[in-house]
Amino acid sequence: MDVVSIDPRTGETVEVVAQETTTAEVDRLVAAALQAAPALDGMGRAGRAGLLRALADALEARRDDVVAVADRETGLGPTRLNGELTRTTYQLRLFAEVLEEGSYLEATIDHAGQTPMGPRPDLRRMLVPIGPVAVFGASNFPLAFSVPGGDTASALAAGSPVVVKAHGSHPATSQLVFELMAEACRAAGAPEGTLGLVHGLQAGADLVAHPAIRAVGFTGSVNGGKALLAIIEQRPDPIPFFGELSSLNPVVVTPDAAAERGAQIGTELVGSFTLGAGQFCTKPGLAFVPTGPEGDAVLDAMAEAVRAAAPQVLLNEGIAGSFGRISSGLADLPGVETVAQGSSAEGPGFQATPLLLTTSAAELPHEVTEECFGPVSVVARYDDEKSLFSALELMPSSLTATILRGQGETDLPLAVSQELRTRAGRIVYDAYPTGVAVSWAQHHGGPWPSTNSQHTSVGTSAIRRFLRPVTWQGAPAEVLPEELTDDFQGIPRRVDGTLQTARG
């Protein structure tokens, strides 16, 4: 079956990109990845660091072409996509630094000796590649969470070959960047099979079911994640599934913050929930705003910004249909009122009208606590701290939770932080959750349904997903990885319980 590329601005098919990948071809690609695994690991940390930098350079060299194709397929615009490509190449280069620094290996040596429990053998432990990894591209980030994205970068850094299932919203972008990266892999001396690409839903299912695949990285809907988990459960050997799935990302505006800068907060909140047409996994879908004049200033500014908003292009027909159905359902709920709408979406393609709704925190409908992908947000008005905290207890777990405070305010923000910390992987203060910095300290994950694991998909510790621990007991020096030999000093290690820093 044809894999077609559609322009979301018009809804028209532009080109046939490829044919859906057959089961036999999936098997061939995964077999090649399995064969490549020892050689990719054998490149060592320095070799893989060079590979990652070569991949970043290859994408940068074709920046204009990549951005043009991605814009035509997603409607996200050159400014956003240039920024996303910069982020993508940055995270590839950051993982090269992770490899060179080396602490990710968790290298640990306990020499043989006496302990309070008796004699201890020589034990040496570190993390090793998990094996071939399946990565599923996300619809809303055609670069940073797709073929060259963080899952791919962290898996390759770990030494695990990757087979990517291209997302149907941007197959031409996926194919282009894959070809650039495959050529860069060859030029950098990586083994054939280091990176593969498949198209089509059945190919994705075949990929997850393949016995040589050792882990799956996925960014998408809860239903999509559950479908892949069902396949994994049918395997003779269930494997790790790292899914980023759904997130409401609640925001709490304190009375002091509303009094100090209510209009500013309102304008900024709309900017956040309409960014990228509301198709960020960190979009603030529900904001708690106090009743009274100060809170009215927040809501009025939000309403003014929404009324001035133009129609926004969504990524594909399915997202557009879901947005229309779910947002209309929210607006029709008892106790929910429509505050403002943007300009009507009357043109061709997959367009959406920005929408602002309001309700009472004391009588919060369950439906407004569920994610609606697209440019809509709900403001829940609370009368006092009791009604606020009663509503916060109803919040599902999210990737983020945000607290907007007054100058010098501590007590209420602290109490809100303590309440939301159990429900979020990142707590944001006096800023907005959209946008996820790639860094050593970043965590992009949270309790179910935001993710199904304790790991992050953004930041340097994302590499941990695609590694597993091995201990060598009583091993001769010649069989040890160099990082576990006595005289090696190139990375941080814990030796006989003492943390040792790297030496040049």
Side-chain angles (χ1 to χ4, degrees), residues 41-423:
D41 183 26
M43 291 179 72
R45 292 180 295 112
R48 292 197 301 280
L51 169 62
L52 293 172
R53 291 190 174 105
L55 294 174
D57 291 345
L59 294 171
E60 283 284 8
R62 294 284 298 279
R63 173 179 285 270
D64 290 347
D65 295 333
V66 171
V67 168
V69 174
D71 179 44
R72 200 267 300 147
E73 278 197 308
T74 66
L76 292 173
T79 300
R80 149 72 192 273
L81 290 165
N82 268 295
E84 187 178 334
L85 181 54
T86 297
R87 170 206 172 111
T88 302
T89 57
Y90 172 77
Q91 67 189 0
L92 285 163
R93 294 183 176 115
L94 179 61
F95 276 108
E97 296 176 14
V98 170
L99 288 169
E100 291 166 342
E101 189 269 348
S103 65
Y104 78 94
L105 289 171
E106 300 178 11
T108 307
I109 298 174
D110 289 327
H111 289 103
Q114 290 295 323
T115 76
M117 297 190 304
R120 179 184 66 206
D122 186 274
L123 300 170
R124 301 174 187 234
R125 175 189 182 276
M126 64 179 263
L127 302 181
V128 302
I130 199 169
V133 170
V135 167
F136 283 71
S139 63
N140 55 340
F141 282 85
L143 302 171
F145 283 82
S146 192
V147 177
D151 286 352
T152 298
S154 54
L156 292 178
S160 295
V162 175
V163 182
V164 182
K165 191 274 178 185
H167 198 283
S169 288
H170 48 262
T173 306
S174 298
Q175 191 67 40
L176 172 60
V177 295
F178 166 73
E179 291 168 0
L180 296 175
M181 294 171 71
E183 178 57 35
C185 283
R186 287 188 285 270
E192 289 295 326
T194 294
L195 184 65
L197 182 71
V198 303
H199 293 275
L201 292 176
Q202 184 58 49
D206 291 339
L207 187 59
V208 172
H210 198 287
I213 291 296
R214 297 288 88 204
V216 178
F218 174 83
T219 302
S221 67
V222 171
N223 288 338
K226 287 181 175 179
L228 295 182
L229 280 168
I231 296 171
I232 289 173
E233 289 170 0
Q234 297 302 311
R235 291 174 52 119
D237 57 339
I239 56 176
F241 175 82
F242 302 107
E244 181 200 316
L245 305 173
S246 175
S247 194
L248 180 66
N249 307 302
V251 175
V252 174
V253 181
T254 70
D256 285 1
E260 289 176 11
R261 60 187 194 282
Q264 176 187 340
I265 288 172
T267 301
E268 291 171 345
L269 269 172
V270 173
S272 184
F273 87 73
T274 60
L275 185 66
Q279 297 170 118
F280 276 53
C281 52
T282 52
K283 182 200 81 172
L286 179 62
F288 291 95
V289 174
T291 56
E294 292 83 3
D296 291 345
V298 176
L299 191 61
D300 290 346
M302 294 183 74
E304 182 179 355
V306 168
R307 292 188 191 102
Q312 295 186 288
V313 177
L314 300 181
L315 292 162
N316 60 49
E317 186 174 11
I319 290 174
S322 294
F323 173 77
R325 181 178 67 256
I326 297 172
S327 61
S328 295
L330 292 175
D332 290 339
L333 288 171
V336 174
E337 298 179 7
T338 298
V339 177
Q341 291 179 287
S343 301
S344 297
E346 298 176 348
F350 312 131
Q351 296 194 48
T353 299
L355 179 64
L356 178 63
L357 306 172
T358 188
T359 190
S360 166
E363 299 177 1
L364 195 68
H366 170 74
E367 291 85 349
V368 305
T369 67
E370 298 177 354
E371 181 184 39
C372 179
F373 207 58
V376 60
S377 192
V378 179
V379 172
R381 307 296 298 271
Y382 64 93
D383 296 324
D384 50 30
E385 292 186 14
K386 180 180 179 180
S387 64
L388 171 62
F389 281 94
S390 294
L392 292 181
E393 291 177 357
L394 305 176
M395 291 300 96
S397 294
S398 292
L399 295 168
T400 73
T402 297
I403 304 165
L404 302 178
R405 310 168 298 166
Q407 183 72 29
E409 187 179 19
T410 58
D411 292 347
L412 180 56
L414 175 60
V416 172
S417 297
Q418 293 172 333
E419 177 65 36
L420 292 178
R421 192 178 68 176
T422 61
R423 295 176 172 84

